Amino acid sequence: MITLVVHDYDEAIRWYTNVLGFTLAADTPLSGTKRWVVIAPEGGGASLLLAKADGDMQKASIGNQTGGRVSLFLYTNDFAEDHARMIGAGVQFLEEPRHEPYGSVAVFEDLYGNKWDLLQLK
């Protein structure tokens, strides 16, 4: 599991579950302002702990947690289908799909601007 800093729990839950098809694995209140929110991709893989930004430094990192590099990888068994579904859901792809020796890939941004690879390995 890895942490992803977000603006708002509910906004992030809606986007990742409705747009990317992730499953809400946990949503547990910890205090009046903090929650333990975990989402997971369909079919397995690393889960994301959605952490609401607390303070200016954390807020400044939203969408740029890895300095503008691709930081997350969403694996698929049907690149063309998932790519088309994601475009239909409003996902912003930063490039056309590429077919590399290792598989098919295209970079997209999540609702905060974090860069992801949609990736189908050969």
Side-chain angles (χ1 to χ4, degrees), residues 62-102:
I62 295 172
N64 192 28
Q65 295 178 110
T66 58
R69 294 191 57 126
V70 170
S71 59
L72 301 160
F73 300 83
L74 181 59
Y75 290 93
T76 177
N77 292 322
D78 191 334
F79 183 91
E81 180 180 311
D82 285 339
H83 183 260
R85 179 188 56 75
M86 290 168 68
I87 287 174
V91 173
Q92 177 69 39
F93 278 85
L94 303 178
E95 64 182 4
E96 292 298 315
R98 300 186 326 266
H99 304 288
E100 302 289 349
Y102 55 83

